[in-house]
């Protein structure tokens, strides 16, 4: 597989408080009751009117008792005869009828209902206006730059540890430092990932993501898109730096850790743009360190050899150039390649199978700083041709890098390295083959001194060499790129999806040999 790479708000409705207006049909019973009271003298038989009762000695209680006789809820009043039924609102507050024949008291019965409806309608309208005011009107200031902005934590993330990683906090803290990259070239479009190097807009990515690109676009985590120019590329280490045009002032550079402190088994998080799915986070552990990985350079001129950090976090085409974080949110590597199954196993690339590889952060920052400075990078050079070999000394047999040729006037030649020597370690790090030694040397800076552990004539000795700057224009046999045997690891990037690690070939039908 190759890297290729929004419900209309309803208008505010009046709240249920506006429903008291539905109580108006309840008005029927009260006038009917009043009409019956007014017409009752004509309907009943004439009867002598009894004389007025003598005044009570205590009028106060009589006054208080009279209203109670007529405090009948309007809902329970007897409806007036007629074809129209009376509907009672079960949610209305009970209304109290006053003394019959008192117009002023009768009229007051309706005031609370109408007032409640009007008040509810007013409150509802005010609530609607308030909602409009809160959500913002046409006069509210807004900026497209504010879309997608979120608050984030600082790195290192204190709440996250190796023993108990807090990936939610880590992702929140680092996501603004990760970008998606889209390129166009004569071969078509492609996508990759990148990490913010500094506040000036420089982005670190893989060389194979931007190589031969005619246009480069960078999308920040919040969706803002910027054009970018290529500052420099380094096919030897598969690293590149691009520069945003008119970068924003709120870029958040990533924090890089010392990759020499990484240990097998520690938790990691990969963040990037797999298959064009930006801001994708996957987690896993460090499966191995110093895994020799080889892949063809974009132009095919040489192989990219890296002592990579092997991880089981899902990494897919499009993750290339994206950062690999530790539990504190610091960058420990740049994801660059994956091992894939193809051929007899499927009709094409199988994507992630839990074998991903990242360029260690120490090498990435070393090359990145050089590319930022002048667009080019220098590489350390030993000056030997190598092959995979084994050596026995002191009763122990080990794998190593066998020297088949020594370049004259090279660091190796000056230090006394001879043809037939087997280099089994460099600066105390075991060397398991030609690719392993090549990758170790490429991690070093030109001018640095290294101690080689060499087996010669069944005995072990240590030889100090001063690494020189490799002449990139020189034409010579591929000294340190040459490796043989099945021990050297290999990987496949999205530009070479059919590359299969040598150690996997024997398990795949149709890929023998």
């Amino acid at each position: 597989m190759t890297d290729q790479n929004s419900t209309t708000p309803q208008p505010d409705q009046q709240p249920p408080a506006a429903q008291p207006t539905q109580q108006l049909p309840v008005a029927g019973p009260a006038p009917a009751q009043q009409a019956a009271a007014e017409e009752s003298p004509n309907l009943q038989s004439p009867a002598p009117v009894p004389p007025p009762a003598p005044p009570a000695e205590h009028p106060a209680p009589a006054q208080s008792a009279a209203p109670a006789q007529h405090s009948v809820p309007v809902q329970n009043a007897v409806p007036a005869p007629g074809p129209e039924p009376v509907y009672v609102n079960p949610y209305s507050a009970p209304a109290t009828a006053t003394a019959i024949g008192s117009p002023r008291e009768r009229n007051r019965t309706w005031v609370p209902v109408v007032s409640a409806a009007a008040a509810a309608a007013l409150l509802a309208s005010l609530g609607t206006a308030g909602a409009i005011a809160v959500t913002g009107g046409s006069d509210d200031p807004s900026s497209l730059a504010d879309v997608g902005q979120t608050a984030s934590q600082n790195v290192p993330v204190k709440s996250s540890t190796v023993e108990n990683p807090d990936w939610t906090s880590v992702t929140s803290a680092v996501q603004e430092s990760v970008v998606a990259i889209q390129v166009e070239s004569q071969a078509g479009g492609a996508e990759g990932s990148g990490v913010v190097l500094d506040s000036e807009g420089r982005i670190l990515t893989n060389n194979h993501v931007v190589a031969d690109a005619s246009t480069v676009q960078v999308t920040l985590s919040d969706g803002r898109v910027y054009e970018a120019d290529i500052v420099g590329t380094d096919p030897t280490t598969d690293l590149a730096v691009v520069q945003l045009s008119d970068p924003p002032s709120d870029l958040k550079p990533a924090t890089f850790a010392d990759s020499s402190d990484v240990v097998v088994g520690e938790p990691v998080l990969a963040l990037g743009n797999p298959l064009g799915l930006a801001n994708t986070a996957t987690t896993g552990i460090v499966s191995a360190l110093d895994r020799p990985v080889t892949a063809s350079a974009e132009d095919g001129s040489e192989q990219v050899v890296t002592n990579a950090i092997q991880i089981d976090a899902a990494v897919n085409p499009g993750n290339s150039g994206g950062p690999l974080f530790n539990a504190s949110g610091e960058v420990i590597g740049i994801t660059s390649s994956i091992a894939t199954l193809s051929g007899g196993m499927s009709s094409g690339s199988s994507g992630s199978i839990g074998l991903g590889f990242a360029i260690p952060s120490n090498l990435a920052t070393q090359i990145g700083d050089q590319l930022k400075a002048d667009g080019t990078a220098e590489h350390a050079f030993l000056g030997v041709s190598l092959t995979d070999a084994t050596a026995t000394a002191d009763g122990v047999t080990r794998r190593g890098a066998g020297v088949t040729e020594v370049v004259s006037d090279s660091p190796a030649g000056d230090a006394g390295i001879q043809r037939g020597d087997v280099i089994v370690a460099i600066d105390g790090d075991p060397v398991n083959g030609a690719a392993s030694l090549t990758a170790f040397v490429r991690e070093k800076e030109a001018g640095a001194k290294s101690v080689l552990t060499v087996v010669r004539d069944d005995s072990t000795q240590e030889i100090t060499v001063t690494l020189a700057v490799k002449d990139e224009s020189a034409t010579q046999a591929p000294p340190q790129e040459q490796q043989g045997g099945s021990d050297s690891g290999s990987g496949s990037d999205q530009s070479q999806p059919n590359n299969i690690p040598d150690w996997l070939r024997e398990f795949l039908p149709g890929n023998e040999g």
Side-chain angles (χ1 to χ4, degrees), residues 175-182 192-196 203-205 217-221 242 244 251 271-273 278-279 318 320-323:
Q175 61 183 354
E176 295 179 13
S177 301
V178 185
V179 303
I181 299 178
Q182 299 81 32
S193 306
V195 58
V196 179
I203 308 296
L204 180 66
T205 186
Q217 278 192 335
V218 174
T219 304
L220 305 186
S221 63
V242 300
L244 301 186
L251 282 176
L271 197 57
N273 183 39
N279 306 323
S320 285

Side-chain angles (χ1 to χ4, degrees), residues 168-197:
T168 300
S169 297
V170 171
T171 303
S172 174
V174 305
Q175 61 183 354
E176 295 179 13
S177 301
V178 185
V179 303
I181 299 178
Q182 299 81 32
V183 301
E184 290 291 338
S185 66
Q186 291 183 346
E191 299 202 9
S193 306
V195 58
V196 179
L197 279 178

